């Protein structure tokens, strides 16, 4: 007790009272291109501080982060701090044309925000075009000084970023797809900390290795930066205990397989309790589409190696679920439980959002790639169109003509969403239509996947808020019978939910963070194709519940 109060006293003496024990963390990110060799190919990629993955930021809850971003690369860029709620700092959230205009080549912007009441594994990534494939890194938020994890302290921690590599410039991959009117080509490999692993001959010498001591427990901080697929993740002969997802603590959940959606982070404990040796950590696709859709079916590996291992034979490989093992994915996501939940029990705003792909017709077959059209993404049948100045700026300054506030609460038509949808319903409308939320309103959204083009699992990410996933199921959501099965006691809190393939998920949150918040599919090509929408949360009554003015260096369009 005595020690504690002395520590607290020191903090109070040395920093301003509003930031008891918090520190100012100042970092500089320089964005530039460089040549990097992976998967038998040298490629020019965009990096941060010359690193791929980019630098890991390790900070404490309560810290104020000041990150100067200098764009020395050739493309417009923005950075997003995935999972950070940005309480009263929406100007630092980062999605291009939503909360800011891009940082143009040769210019800089300082992201300034405070981490309040959040701890665990988050990450940062580019939030424009396809740049996040190479511009990404871990953001680790440790408990405030003097506080501990709600689980025994691990011996060591390893950040693990699951990514994808193209033997091509990713900006060209996206531009080609837009020109063709299609979806971007699949990547050439999946990666663990930027390495595809032993099954890719040119990379085998550099396979990512994690050295462990027998009998010790380790915390894996796993981040999925995958661009267009969910992943199964296993470690040969080692069980894992999930203790947090999306920087939100879970009741400890023991499993031998993780199912990770793009955008999700998972904190997982493992004990090096096997015979000394080398074990593969492996990841490959969870493919939720029915047969006939192509995907990259390779396995990516890293190695868990015991310090005293003398064994030089090939590591043991884990057995994976089948690529299309939806029951395993559903079991994993529905069995997770929040450690401390406080679920909104009543609802002020109810929305039902159909979401999935759509197909735009092409005059004279000019862009026909599938069934005479080009694929798009939509929510409530609206394919979102990015404006030319940011929505947050337009909102804050009252600039007309940038967006409309008529994003609908329901789809324009009731149909059999997950069945064989008639072609006549595949065509979306276009618009920059947003939904306005009253400060402190309790919001429930049914996210209903559609079967347009294909049924598929979609990872839906909401900026500025975490949400409870109170229910999930297959087929069409039934508002009469499904609420009876909601978990309003201890459902998992997340910022990205994998809506089950051919199914639905129901989320609840309190809109208590004034600002402009994107919600989108974290499959990058889908959001690029308009699979997104925007919420504007109004100011609350007090100054401390209102969005402050923008920083002076906010980029202009
Ligand atoms: Cu991880 Cu809108 O992003």
């Amino acid at each position: 007790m005595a020690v504690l109060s002395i520590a607290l006293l020191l903090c109070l003496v040395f920093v301003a009272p509003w930031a008891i024990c918090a520190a100012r963390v100042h970092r500089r990110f320089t964005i530039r291109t460089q040549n990097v060799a992976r998967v038998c190919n040298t490629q020019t990629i965009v990096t941060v501080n010359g690193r791929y993955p980019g630098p890991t930021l390790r900070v404490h809850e309560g810290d104020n982060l000041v990150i100067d971003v200098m764009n020395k690369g050739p493309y417009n860029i923005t950075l997003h701090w995935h999972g950070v709620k940005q309480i009263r700092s929406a100007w630092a959230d980062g999605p291009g044309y939503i909360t800011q205009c891009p940082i143009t080549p040769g210019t800089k912007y300082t992201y300034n925000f405070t981490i309040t009441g959040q701890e665990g594994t988050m990450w940062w990534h580019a939030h424009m075009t396809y740049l996040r494939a190479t511009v990404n890194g871990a953001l680790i938020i440790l408990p405030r000084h003097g506080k501990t994890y709600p689980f025994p302290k691990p011996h060591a921690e390893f950040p693990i970023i699951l990514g994808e590599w193209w033997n091509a410039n990713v900006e060209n991959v996206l531009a080609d797809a837009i020109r063709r009117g299609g979806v971007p080509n699949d990547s050439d490999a999946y990666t663990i900390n930027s390495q595809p692993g032993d099954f890719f001959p040119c990379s085998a010498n550099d396979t990512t290795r994690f050295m462990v001591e027998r009998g010790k427990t380790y915390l894996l901080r796993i981040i999925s930066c995958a661009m267009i697929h969910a992943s199964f993740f296993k470690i040969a002969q080692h069980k894992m205990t999930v203790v947090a997802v999306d920087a939100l603590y879970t009741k400890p959940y023991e499993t031998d397989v993780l199912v990770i959606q793009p955008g999700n982070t998972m904190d997982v404990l493992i004990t090096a309790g096997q015979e000394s040796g080398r074990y593969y950590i492996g990841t490959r696709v969870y493919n939720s589409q029915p047969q006939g859709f192509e995907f990259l079916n390779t396995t990516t590996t890293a190695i868990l190696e015991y310090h005293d291992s003398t064994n030089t034979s090939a590591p043991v490989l884990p057995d994976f679920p089948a690529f299309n093992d939806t029951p395993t994915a559903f079991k994993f996501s529905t069995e997770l439980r929040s450690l401390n939940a406080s679920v909104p029990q009543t609802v002020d705003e109810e929305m039902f959002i159909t979401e999935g792909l759509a197909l735009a017709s092409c005059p004279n077959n000019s862009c026909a790639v599938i069934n005479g059209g080009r694929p798009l993404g939509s929510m409530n049948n609206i394919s979102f169109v990015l404006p030319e100045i940011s929505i947050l700026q337009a909102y804050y300054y009252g600039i007309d003509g940038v967006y409309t506030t008529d994003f609908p609460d329901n789809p324009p038509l009731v149909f059999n969403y997950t069945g064989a949808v008639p072609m006549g319903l595949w065509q979306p409308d276009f618009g920059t239509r947003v939904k306005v939320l009253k400060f402190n309103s309790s919001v429930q959204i049914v996210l209903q996947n559609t079967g347009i083009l294909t049924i598929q699992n979609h990872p839906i990410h909401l900026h500025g808020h975490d949400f409870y996933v109170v229910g999930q199921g297959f087929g069409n959501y039934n508002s009469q019978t499904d609420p009876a099965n909601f978990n309003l006691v201890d459902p998992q809190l997340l910022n990205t939910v994998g809506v089950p393939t051919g199914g639905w998920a129901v989320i609840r949150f309190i809109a208590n963070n004034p600002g402009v918040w994107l919600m989108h599919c974290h499959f990058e090509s889908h959001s690029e194709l308009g699979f997104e929408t925007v919420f504007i949360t109004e100011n609350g009554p007090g100054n401390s519940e209102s969005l402050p003015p923008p920083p002076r260096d906010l980029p202009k369009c």
Side-chain angles (χ1 to χ4, degrees), residues 352 417 444 446 448 474-479 482-483 486 504 506:
F352 181 96
Y417 309 110
Q444 171 174 301
V446 177
Q448 172 70 61
F474 294 103
N476 299 326
Y477 172 75
N478 182 323
S479 62
D482 286 321
F486 283 178
W504 51 269
V506 180

Side-chain angles (χ1 to χ4, degrees), residues 32-262:
R32 62 170 100 86
T33 54
Q34 76 178 114
N35 289 329
V36 170
R38 294 286 184 277
V39 199
C40 317
N41 172 289
T42 298
Q43 192 52 52
T44 305
I45 65 169
V46 181
T47 60
V48 170
N49 297 359
R51 315 239 317 255
Y52 168 61
T56 295
L57 295 175
R58 285 176 78 86
V59 305
H60 288 88
E61 192 274 315
D63 284 352
N64 172 227
L65 275 62
V66 180
I67 301 155
D68 302 320
V69 177
M70 334 265 301
N71 186 0
K72 301 222 162 131
Y75 305 108
N76 284 350
I77 202 165
T78 65
L79 294 185
H80 168 54
W81 317 91
H82 182 119
V84 177
K85 286 194 198 161
Q86 301 291 1
I87 296 166
R88 300 186 63 234
S89 56
W91 302 106
D93 192 39
Y97 299 104
I98 306 296
T99 60
Q100 69 167 98
C101 297
I103 309 170
T104 53
T107 66
K108 77 182 212 48
Y109 177 48
T110 299
Y111 290 90
N112 187 334
F113 56 93
T114 299
I115 309 281
T116 310
Q118 297 188 275
E119 60 189 51
T121 306
M122 300 190 194
W123 58 301
W124 55 267
H125 62 78
H127 210 304
M128 287 195 58
T129 57
Y130 247 40
L131 291 168
R132 93 164 151 88
T134 63
V135 176
N136 59 66
L139 167 55
I140 294 171
I141 300 165
L142 302 167
R144 216 169 251 255
H145 292 288
K147 287 193 145 192
T148 54
Y149 301 130
F151 47 82
K153 191 174 187 312
H155 181 65
E157 307 185 359
F158 301 123
I160 298 182
I161 299 188
L162 310 181
E164 294 189 56
W165 172 264
W166 275 263
N167 283 330
N169 176 324
V170 290
E171 289 300 272
N172 296 343
V173 170
L174 179 66
D176 280 353
I178 292 169
R179 201 172 311 122
R180 275 186 285 119
V183 291
N185 291 342
D186 280 341
S187 58
D188 294 291
Y190 307 128
T191 54
I192 295 180
N193 289 353
S194 93
Q195 290 294 339
D198 280 4
F199 303 137
F200 291 79
C202 321
S203 163
N205 291 338
D206 302 313
T207 295
T208 302
R209 241 163 256 266
F210 301 100
M211 301 301 292
V212 294
E213 261 176 68
R214 194 144 186 267
K216 298 262 157 79
T217 298
Y218 295 83
L219 177 63
L220 310 183
R221 295 179 175 276
I222 305 165
I223 295 164
S224 174
C225 180
M227 297 291 272
I228 185 75
H229 69 273
S231 314
F232 289 122
F233 180 100
K234 293 196 73 164
I235 307 176
Q237 297 175 22
H238 289 73
K239 282 217 180 285
M240 299 173 273
T241 304
V242 179
V243 290
V245 181
D246 290 358
L248 297 154
Y249 292 118
T250 60
K251 294 189 175 143
Y253 179 71
E254 192 175 278
T255 178
D256 63 358
V257 60
L258 307 177
V259 185
I260 312 180
Q261 305 285 335

Side-chain angles (χ1 to χ4, degrees), residues 340-359:
N340 304 301
S342 136
V343 189
Q345 298 291 313
T346 55
V347 172
D348 307 316
E349 274 286 353
E350 257 190 276
M351 299 178 78
F352 181 96
I353 302 182
T354 52
E355 34 96 3
L357 297 178
L359 200 72

